[in-house]
Amino acid sequence: EAQVTQNPRYLITVTGKKLTVTCSQNMNHEYMSWYRQDPGLGLRQIYYSMNVEVTDKGDVPEGYKVSRKEKRNFPLILESPSPNQTSLYFCASTRQGAKNIQYFGAGTRLSVL
Amino acid sequence: DAKTTQPPSMDCAEGRAANLPCNHSTISGNEYVYWYRQIHSQGPQYIIHGLKNNETNEMASLIITEDRKSSTLILPHATLRDTAVYYCIVSPHHSGNTPLVFGKGTRLSVIA
């Protein structure tokens, strides 16, 4: 089954404790992206990757890092989480040539205390 | 800012057609209309897209006006599982980075 898998689905952590949210897709998609969703603000793009070893900032990249060492994986790293990063996070992927038809993961709900 | 305007909420009786409108009066010639939905904090789900012709797939139909300034998503026989927030998005089809710009959408409630 074609899917984008995020882990963990729920995470509660404390300020400053490094964490990684994993994202994996099995559709051989070149393009992957991370969004965060906050009440009243909609979905905002954090980082994106056009292909392996090619990443760039989205609209709200501060406090986040990403890497794209393999085509299927696109982890989101919070080196020193802060309470303002409490949010619902989504990973998405799509193939080149159809970038607006994106497949989203189920989401990761993160709480930073 | 989102380039689309949608009503904040709508109700639909189960089994009836749900017609969700979207205004996109500033759409440019190379921009498509996309529809997504999000069921209660799940990941958004692609539904359908179109440029100027009406489109239909297994999930829905998309009707785009001749001047392309508005469109309607039609769910022909709404079920309770169609209760979700529906987003109308306009964007070029083959741009580089494509962050989907989700506005506030329409919250559709399907009622038994």
Side-chain angles (χ1 to χ4, degrees):
Chain A
E1 180 190 353
Q3 59 185 5
V4 177
T5 304
Q6 294 179 230
N7 280 298
R9 294 289 316 281
Y10 303 91
L11 180 59
I12 300 173
T13 190
V14 296
T15 298
K17 185 176 181 182
K18 180 179 179 179
L19 67 91
T20 299
V21 183
T22 64
C23 175
S24 179
Q25 50 93 4
N26 63 359
M27 295 168 280
N28 201 36
H29 285 163
E30 295 86 3
Y31 180 93
M32 298 185 73
S33 180
W34 275 102
Y35 295 85
R36 60 178 288 174
Q37 185 173 32
D38 303 289
L41 296 177
L43 277 87
R44 295 178 291 169
Q45 190 185 49
I46 304 170
Y47 267 94
Y48 67 95
S49 170
M50 303 284 273
N51 214 322
V52 176
E53 302 291 0
V54 181
T55 64
D56 209 343
K57 298 177 181 177
D59 296 322
V60 288
E62 293 76 21
Y64 304 94
K65 287 174 59 177
V66 293
S67 68
R68 188 90 183 274
K69 294 184 170 58
E70 304 165 282
K71 198 172 188 179
R72 63 183 292 127
N73 296 323
F74 190 44
L76 179 70
I77 303 157
L78 285 71
E79 294 270 4
S80 183
S82 63
N84 65 10
Q85 293 177 299
T86 291
S87 188
L88 179 58
Y89 292 86
F90 292 104
C91 179
S93 76
T94 188
R95 61 177 178 85
Q96 295 285 8
K99 292 197 187 70
N100 292 330
I101 302 174
Q102 296 191 14
Y103 295 80
F104 284 79
T108 296
R109 188 170 292 280
L110 172 66
S111 294
V112 183
L113 306 178
Chain B
D1 289 335
K3 301 180 185 179
T4 62
T5 304
Q6 300 178 251
S9 64
M10 293 181 65
D11 292 338
C12 178
E14 189 178 21
R16 297 285 198 149
N19 296 282
L20 294 96
C22 179
N23 285 322
H24 32 80
S25 58
T26 61
I27 192 170
S28 59
N30 68 339
E31 289 183 317
Y32 286 65
V33 180
Y34 295 83
W35 282 84
Y36 278 75
R37 73 180 182 184
Q38 187 174 23
I39 298 172
H40 188 56
S41 296
Q42 296 179 20
Q45 177 188 23
Y46 164 79
I47 301 172
I48 198 168
H49 75 281
L51 180 63
K52 55 183 178 181
N53 297 320
N54 298 337
E55 301 287 345
T56 296
N57 64 19
E58 65 277 5
M59 290 183 68
S61 295
L62 174 60
I63 308 297
I64 302 174
T65 58
E66 192 168 344
D67 63 7
R68 303 211 319 125
K69 292 186 177 182
S70 66
S71 60
T72 301
L73 178 75
I74 301 171
L75 308 178
H77 306 287
T79 70
L80 298 177
R81 286 181 291 184
D82 292 321
T83 292
V85 178
Y86 287 77
Y87 298 97
C88 170
I89 300 166
V90 296
S91 183
H93 192 51
H94 297 293
S95 62
N97 177 38
T98 311
L100 293 172
V101 179
F102 290 80
K104 295 190 183 332
T106 297
R107 184 173 297 277
L108 175 68
S109 297
V110 180
I111 302 165

